[in-house]
Amino acid sequence: MCGEDMPRFFVDEINKDNITLDGENARHIGRSLRMKPGEPLTVCCKGIDYDCTVSSITGEQVFLELVSCHSCEAEPDIKVTLFQAVPKGDKLEQIVKKAVELGVSQVVPVLTRRCVSRPDEKDFAKKLQRLNKIAEEAAKQSGRGIIPEVLPIISYKTALDMLPDFQRSVILYEAEGGCSFSQVDFSGAENIALIVGSEGGFEPDEVQAAAECGAERVWLGKRILRCETAPITALSVLMFLTNNL
């Protein structure tokens, strides 16, 4: 784990010779955490952890002294994009939170034929800010070196059009006929797509279309998993098989 006992703050850019936090990060340090000079914290930038101590705090800025920097040990050495068919209610919030804890790189909500919940882009955009906030909090809690992004909702066809960008793609399918996770060769794959259905799973022709785009059909056994359980189980197995768990 990387710096799990220290507060973690994410920035897009960093100057190692003059590490300063401002805005919301500074206010959280000074007003909510009430940190004092000398106390430790970690600043995360693009997968690198900068372990620091607080040097001084003003009203809107926190000045830090660098102690050490290193790659975040909690970051997987693979990038996994979860293409998640939109479930009902607040299940997507739970999926995002747990997927980030397990090491996903980004989450892409997808509209498939069996999705009961069918928000349009405008309605879903209102939820997107909250979903990304959940991802940020989960990244801090689990010691991640990056904040995985939740992208705007897309169609299933658009998702399939993205699959050639990945070195390996798998789609969860509840019917037998595919292979088990352990039979998929992930060796050498650094960029992986995981496609998971909603409450009703996928139509057979949707699975066939994914297979034609290079996705391997994978099933998780004979027990029927809830749509919020399936992606978490699949991510856990994937991280284990790639030595990232």
Side-chain angles (χ1 to χ4, degrees):
M1 302 295 289
C2 46
E4 61 179 340
D5 294 324
M6 293 189 207
R8 299 179 69 78
F9 299 89
F10 290 88
V11 296
D12 295 326
E13 301 291 338
I14 197 166
N15 178 359
K16 290 195 296 184
D17 298 321
N18 181 25
I19 303 179
T20 305
L21 297 178
D22 52 23
E24 184 180 346
N25 282 336
R27 288 189 292 273
H28 186 62
I29 290 170
R31 300 174 189 175
S32 300
L33 298 179
R34 298 185 181 275
M35 296 186 72
K36 306 295 183 185
E39 292 189 306
L41 57 79
T42 300
V43 180
C44 309
C45 182
K46 300 175 182 176
I48 304 297
D49 278 3
Y50 297 83
D51 296 327
C52 305
T53 57
V54 176
S55 178
S56 62
I57 301 175
T58 66
E60 292 294 325
Q61 286 186 306
V62 176
F63 299 92
L64 304 173
E65 182 177 343
L66 179 63
V67 177
S68 65
C69 64
H70 49 86
S71 296
C72 178
E73 296 174 0
E75 278 303 308
D77 60 13
I78 57 172
K79 292 186 177 181
V80 180
T81 295
L82 172 61
F83 290 91
Q84 176 64 53
V86 179
K88 295 185 292 184
D90 61 359
K91 294 176 183 177
L92 187 56
E93 295 182 5
Q94 180 181 348
I95 291 170
V96 167
K97 179 180 180 181
K98 298 304 180 184
V100 170
E101 290 179 20
L102 284 166
V104 79
S105 295
Q106 63 180 3
V107 179
V108 185
V110 181
L111 273 182
T112 63
R113 218 171 297 157
R114 293 186 180 180
C115 285
V116 176
S117 176
R118 308 196 68 82
D120 58 29
E121 290 183 24
K122 184 177 180 181
D123 289 338
F124 191 79
K126 300 174 184 177
K127 300 180 181 180
L128 198 55
Q129 185 175 0
R130 172 166 171 74
L131 290 170
N132 276 294
K133 185 64 176 176
I134 289 171
E136 179 181 357
E137 292 302 320
K140 290 178 179 178
Q141 180 273 321
S142 57
R144 296 289 302 272
I146 64 167
I147 302 174
E149 185 179 9
V150 184
L151 300 184
I153 196 168
I154 61 174
S155 68
Y156 187 65
K157 181 182 182 305
T158 300
L160 295 187
D161 289 341
M162 296 169 65
L163 294 189
D165 296 334
F166 296 89
Q167 295 169 306
R168 198 81 76 250
S169 302
V170 296
I171 182 169
L172 296 193
Y173 190 42
E174 65 272 15
E176 295 189 45
C179 62
S180 69
F181 249 110
S182 60
Q183 293 174 298
V184 179
D185 181 13
F186 290 109
S187 59
E190 299 177 353
N191 197 12
I192 299 169
L194 174 63
I195 311 165
V196 183
S198 60
E199 289 83 359
F202 294 104
E203 295 283 354
D205 63 317
E206 289 178 319
V207 177
Q208 180 59 35
E212 291 172 0
C213 292
E216 296 194 55
R217 285 171 283 198
V218 170
W219 72 302
L220 292 173
K222 297 182 178 180
R223 287 185 296 277
I224 303 299
L225 302 180
R226 296 175 66 92
C227 71
E228 64 269 33
T229 306
I232 306 312
T233 303
L235 278 168
S236 299
V237 174
L238 175 55
M239 291 297 173
F240 177 76
L241 290 175
T242 57
N243 297 314
N244 281 292
L245 192 64

